[in-house]
């Protein structure tokens, strides 16, 4: 039995010895086994090789070589990374952020960046985040907090796809070739500052700036902007050509060269804006919708031009909402010394604040001041609730207005004018003027200019109402077209032009203080009297004849000056053949 016990004890000792040996072996294995570490020690990698800084990764690529640098974690980088000529680098960060503490990323070769957020840890004066002197393509990249976001050199090519660039001065400072497709470009002073002689294209993007969305310097290049939003600041074209197709403009435009705007929307309600679009050279606007709110207290113009302006198929709508006590002009299209062609446009200006200050506001649909010419065809002007309203205002002897099929409707708190001519020449083919006001109304008021009205209708009503008022010795009015044959079959209309003035106090079809009145066609109606005593010229063998009409529609032929012998609702005058 003792022998068995000794054997059992020996077996137990052996088991313990074996277990201890296994434990010791396992512990030795743990000690000798290499420690497992993170797969990436440094943030940058080219294949299996890792680098602490972006500069080290780029410098490791041989001259003329191509490499993809991946970023595997958010990183703060202070290195001066320069891509030399001949190198092609693709930087793929998988959505991680590179924070620069100093220095710019400089590209002299080829750089492709995707899915990265690059910014300074704090804004750095006069430093950009990317200086491009080669070819750079950015896809879904965000760059922010630099003085410049990107500087693009004179021989460089920069392509941005769905990338957002933000900077404290210029988001993009461009001297080379630039292509933008999508994304947001936001610079406090300049969205894009360009002094490049190479054409630029922008599409489906938003350009934002408190000062200048795009500032185009003295060069002959062409910028094409398609379906892009220009937000808040000014688009300034100093030289060359800018073509805008579609998109929304919520800032202002200053054109000193050549510009076209086609199919865009213009929205502006800034209280600091006096002129939405200013043109001093050549501007073409087609199929553009203006939705404007005039809250400026010192004056407001949708379009102001001293150059050549061509506007067609556009709608200009201005709502005045300035604070009480304001006194200024609100103008749709203002030509001051240049030439304007306006075709199939609508101009609507409405004073939306009906207060005592309303009487101080002057609404002017189209204004030709010192302009060479103003061509209006198939336009519609609507003015609502202004203090004094002018459908079309013309001034200076050099001004010439050619009007065909113009419609003017206006209402004013004080006086209202369909056309106010202060020295220019108005040639009217067809016109429709319907004007009303609380005080005095003038279909056409001429003080020193020339009015030639071939056909059309003037229908006005108010307290004191004048269809046409000839107010100056140098004024000249011609109604109709002279036939000159002296025959009974002469082409003399008794209905067109049609002038009617109905007033609660007085209504005068044509009033002449002085000047010249030639009457070849038409019908003139006045609730007080139809026309002045003297007519300069009429058709040969025709005379002006007068009829008074009572409130039952009964007509009585009268001699001019004898109207007071009758009770009538209005008087009318036509030309009749005398043989």
């Amino acid at each position: 039995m003792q022998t068995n016990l000794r054997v059992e004890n020996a077996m137990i000792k052996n088991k313990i010895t074996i277990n201890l040996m296994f434990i010791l072996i396992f512990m030795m294995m743990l000690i000798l086994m290499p420690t497992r570490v993170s797969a990436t020690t440094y943030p940058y990698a080219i294949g299996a090789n890792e680098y602490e800084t972006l500069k080290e990764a780029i410098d490791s690529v041989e001259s003329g070589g191509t490499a993809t640098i991946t970023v595997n974690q958010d990183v703060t980088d202070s290195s001066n990374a320069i891509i030399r000529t001949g190198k092609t680098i693709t930087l793929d960060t998988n959505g991680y952020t590179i924070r620069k503490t100093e220095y710019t990323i400089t590209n002299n070769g080829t750089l492709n960046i995707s899915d990265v957020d690059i910014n300074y840890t704090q804004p750095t004066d006069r430093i950009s985040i990317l200086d491009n002197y080669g070819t750079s393509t950015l896809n879904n990249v965000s760059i922010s907090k630099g003085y410049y976001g990107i500087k693009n050199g004179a021989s460089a090519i920069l392509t941005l796809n769905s990338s957002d660039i933000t900077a404290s001065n210029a988001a993009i400072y461009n001297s080379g070739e630039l292509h933008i497709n999508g994304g947001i470009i936001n610079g406090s002073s300049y969205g894009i500052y360009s002094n490049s002689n190479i054409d630029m294209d922008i599409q489906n993007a938003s350009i934002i700036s408190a000062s200048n969305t795009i500032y185009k310097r003295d060069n002959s290049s062409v910028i094409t902007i398609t379906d892009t939003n220009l937000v808040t600041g000014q688009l300034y074209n100093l030289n060359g050509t800018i073509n805008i197709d579609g998109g929304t403009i919520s800032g202002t435009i200053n054109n000193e060269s050549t510009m076209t705007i086609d199919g865009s929307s213009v929205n502006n309600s800034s209280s600091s804006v006096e002129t939405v679009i200013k043109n001093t050279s050549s501007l073409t606007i087609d199929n553009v919708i203006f939705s404007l709110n005039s809250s400026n207290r010192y004056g407001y113009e949708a379009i102001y031009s001293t150059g050549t302006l061509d506007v067609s198929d556009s709608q200009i709508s201005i709502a005045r909402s300035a604070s009480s006590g304001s006194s200024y002009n609100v103008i749709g299209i203002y030509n001051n010394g240049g030439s304007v062609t306006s075709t199939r446009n609508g101009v609507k200006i409405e004073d939306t604040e009906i207060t005592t200050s309303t009487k101080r506001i002057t609404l002017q649909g189209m204004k030709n001041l010192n302009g060479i010419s103003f061509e209006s065809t198939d336009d519609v002007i609507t003015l609502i609730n202004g203090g004094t309203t002018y459908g079309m205002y013309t001034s200076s002897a050099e001004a010439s207005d050619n009007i065909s099929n113009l419609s003017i409707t206006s209402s004013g708190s004080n006086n209202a004018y369909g056309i106010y001519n202060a020295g220019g020449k108005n040639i009217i083919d067809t016109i429709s003027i319907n004007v009303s006001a609380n005080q005095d109304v003038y279909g056409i008021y001429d003080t020193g200019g020339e009015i030639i009205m071939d056909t059309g209708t003037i229908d006005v009503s108010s307290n004191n109402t004048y269809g046409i008022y000839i107010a100056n010795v140098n004024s000249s009015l011609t109604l109709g077209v002279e036939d000159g044959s002296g025959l009974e079959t002469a082409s003399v209309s008794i209905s067109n032009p049609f002038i009617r003035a109905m007033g609660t106090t007085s209504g005068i079809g044509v009033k002449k203080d002085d000047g010249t009145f030639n009457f070849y066609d038409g019908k003139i109606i006045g609730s007080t009297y139809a026309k002045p005593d003297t007519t300069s010229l009429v058709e040969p063998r025709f005379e002006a004849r007068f009829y008074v009409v009572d409130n039952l529609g009964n007509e009585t032929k009268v001699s001019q000056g004898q109207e007071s012998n009758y009770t009538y609702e209005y008087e009318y005058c036509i030309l009749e053949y005398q043989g």
Side-chain angles (χ1 to χ4, degrees), residues 13-315:
K13 289 180 180 180
N14 288 335
K15 287 181 180 181
I16 292 174
T17 301
I18 292 170
N19 287 338
L20 287 173
M21 288 178 63
F22 276 116
I23 291 172
L24 289 171
I25 291 170
F26 180 73
M27 291 180 66
M28 290 295 293
M29 289 176 64
L30 289 177
I31 293 171
L32 296 174
M33 182 181 294
T35 303
R36 182 175 178 84
V37 297
S38 172
T40 303
T41 303
Y42 295 125
Y44 304 101
I46 300 177
N49 299 316
E50 299 171 353
Y51 304 92
E52 184 175 3
T53 68
L54 183 59
K55 172 181 170 57
E56 290 176 0
I58 292 171
D59 288 350
S60 73
V61 180
E62 62 184 14
S63 179
T66 298
T68 296
I69 300 173
T70 57
V71 180
N72 299 301
Q73 57 185 271
D74 291 339
V75 59
T76 298
D77 193 307
S78 61
S79 67
N80 186 11
I82 300 175
I83 301 168
R84 305 295 179 184
T85 302
K87 289 186 180 182
T88 298
I89 300 296
T90 296
L91 183 63
D92 190 348
T93 67
N94 301 310
Y96 288 112
T97 297
I98 299 175
R99 299 184 183 90
K100 296 288 293 178
T101 58
E102 57 182 328
Y103 296 116
T104 297
I105 299 173
T106 302
N107 175 47
N108 295 295
T110 300
L111 173 63
N112 302 303
I113 309 178
S114 299
D115 303 314
V116 61
D117 182 354
I118 306 174
N119 60 60
Y120 277 112
T121 53
Q122 60 184 6
T124 307
D125 189 32
R126 299 289 174 180
I127 294 181
S128 57
I129 291 180
L130 171 63
D131 281 355
N132 181 48
Y133 301 103
T135 299
S136 290
T137 302
L138 279 60
N139 300 303
N140 193 31
V141 172
S142 175
I143 289 179
S144 61
K145 294 186 181 180
Y147 183 80
Y148 302 116
I150 301 174
K151 292 179 73 174
N152 193 41
S155 300
I157 301 173
L158 174 64
T159 301
L160 304 179
N161 297 315
S162 302
S163 294
D164 299 341
I165 314 298
T166 303
S168 61
N169 185 269
I172 300 175
Y173 189 104
N174 180 53
S175 301
E177 182 176 336
L178 176 61
H179 309 278
I180 300 175
N181 185 5
I184 299 172
I185 311 301
N186 188 345
S188 296
S189 298
Y190 307 94
I192 299 172
Y193 184 101
S194 182
N195 58 0
S196 173
N197 286 314
I198 304 172
D199 294 349
M200 176 196 312
D201 58 86
I202 305 168
Q203 57 183 337
N204 301 311
S206 291
I207 314 298
I208 305 170
S209 176
S211 298
N212 299 277
T213 51
I214 299 175
Y215 189 92
K216 189 175 186 300
R217 284 292 304 273
D218 300 330
N219 56 68
S220 59
S221 63
V222 177
I223 298 179
T224 300
I225 305 170
T226 306
D227 296 331
T228 290
N229 299 323
L230 303 175
V231 184
T232 306
Q234 173 183 236
L235 170 61
Y236 200 162
N237 183 25
L238 282 166
N239 205 348
T241 301
I242 296 180
N243 298 320
I244 303 172
D245 186 359
T248 299
I249 302 166
S250 60
T252 61
I253 291 175
N254 190 347
N255 177 52
E256 297 184 7
S257 188
T258 302
M259 182 180 293
T260 64
I261 308 173
D262 187 355
S264 302
S265 297
V266 179
N267 308 313
N268 194 294
S269 58
S270 172
S271 60
S272 63
V273 170
E274 295 183 29
T275 302
V276 178
I277 296 180
K278 181 180 180 181
N279 172 55
T280 60
S281 186
S282 177
L283 173 62
T284 300
I285 297 173
D286 182 44
N287 192 30
V288 173
I289 304 298
F290 292 77
S291 299
L292 310 175
N293 192 314
S294 164
S295 55
N296 189 290
R297 300 185 55 161
Y298 304 104
Y300 194 86
E301 300 113 14
I303 305 172
Y304 176 89
S305 179
T306 61
T308 300
L309 174 65
D310 190 335
V311 188
S312 61
D313 297 306
S314 297
Q315 299 293 321

Side-chain angles (χ1 to χ4, degrees), residues 301-336:
E301 300 113 14
I303 305 172
Y304 176 89
S305 179
T306 61
T308 300
L309 174 65
D310 190 335
V311 188
S312 61
D313 297 306
S314 297
Q315 299 293 321
I316 300 172
S317 179
I318 306 173
R320 174 263 176 187
S321 61
S323 57
S324 178
S326 302
S327 178
Y328 61 88
N329 297 332
V330 181
I331 305 171
I333 300 175
Y334 188 171
N335 180 34
N336 188 6

